[in-house]
């Protein structure tokens, strides 16, 4: 599902988001399906961020903070940021200096909760941790292909 809707956060969840929480609990009134996009809003209607709904864990996995609710931009930012960080540690993808096996993208730590991408000698392995991310795998693979040009995904 890639349905999009707004979820108005109560003060507690808005405060947790502002403090950097990567995951917020769904409340009883947040009936959504896994994989749905949720624009996170404050009671006045201002956009605070973007999340995907994890129906199994009854949670919102935060993808971005701020007024830019574009999911493709959130995926691109996360992939590029993870790439820059890992290249600073290991060298350019496919030409790593000391190791060719490492975690390229680590879920919430890299801004895409529910997804892990491992690098192995120029190949990428995408692991989806829960149903929430399944509708977005194609977009992630396209971004990885465009920015890293792996030997295979």
């Amino acid at each position: 599902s890639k349905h999009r809707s707004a979820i108005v956060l109560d003060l507690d969840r808005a405060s947790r988001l502002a403090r950097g929480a990567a995951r917020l609990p769904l409340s009883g009134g947040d009936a959504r399906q896994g994989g749905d996009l949720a624009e996170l809003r404050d009671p006045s209607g201002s956009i605070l961020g973007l999340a995907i709904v994890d129906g199994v864990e009854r949670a919102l996995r935060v993808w971005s903070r701020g007024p830019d609710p574009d999911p493709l931009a959130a995926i691109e930012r996360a992939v590029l940021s993870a790439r820059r960080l890992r290249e600073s540690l290991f060298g350019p993808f496919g030409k790593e200096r000391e190791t060719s096996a490492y975690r390229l993208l680590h879920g919430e730590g890299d801004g895409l909760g529910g997804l892990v991408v491992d690098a192995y000698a120029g190949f990428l392995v995408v692991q989806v941790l829960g149903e929430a991310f399944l509708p977005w795998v194609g977009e992630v693979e396209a971004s990885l292909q465009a920015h890293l040009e792996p030997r295979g995904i």
Side-chain angles (χ1 to χ4, degrees), residues 16-22 48-50 62-68 77:
R16 291 164 75 176
L17 179 68
R19 290 192 313 266
L48 301 174
L50 183 70
V62 178
W63 275 12
S64 66
R65 289 169 178 74
D68 180 15
R77 279 192 304 271

Side-chain angles (χ1 to χ4, degrees), residues 30-83:
D30 297 336
R32 307 289 189 282
Q33 289 187 17
D36 282 355
L37 281 173
E39 288 181 3
L40 306 177
R41 296 178 177 264
D42 67 14
S44 72
S46 296
I47 298 174
L48 301 174
L50 183 70
I52 58 170
V53 174
D54 187 326
V56 174
E57 293 190 22
R58 297 281 307 143
L60 297 164
R61 292 180 179 261
V62 178
W63 275 12
S64 66
R65 289 169 178 74
D68 180 15
D70 179 359
L72 298 179
I75 290 169
E76 291 287 311
R77 279 192 304 271
V79 167
L80 288 171
S81 177
R83 174 186 166 193

Side-chain angles (χ1 to χ4, degrees), residues 81-93 97 102:
S81 177
R83 174 186 166 193
R84 281 190 300 273
L85 175 61
R86 287 1 176 247
E87 285 184 349
S88 75
L89 298 170
F90 307 118
F93 176 75
R97 294 182 296 270
Y102 57 93

Side-chain angles (χ1 to χ4, degrees), residues 4 6 8 23 38 86 104 108 118 121 125-126 130-131 139:
R4 185 182 194 126
V8 178
R23 201 182 297 203
R86 287 1 176 247
L104 175 70
E108 277 90 356
D118 292 319
V125 176
V126 177
E131 50 114 26
E139 286 83 350

Side-chain angles (χ1 to χ4, degrees), residues 134-151:
L134 286 175
W136 299 96
V137 170
E139 286 83 350
V140 171
E141 288 178 350
S143 182
L144 292 167
Q145 184 66 45
H147 296 296
L148 295 166
E149 298 179 0
R151 294 168 59 193

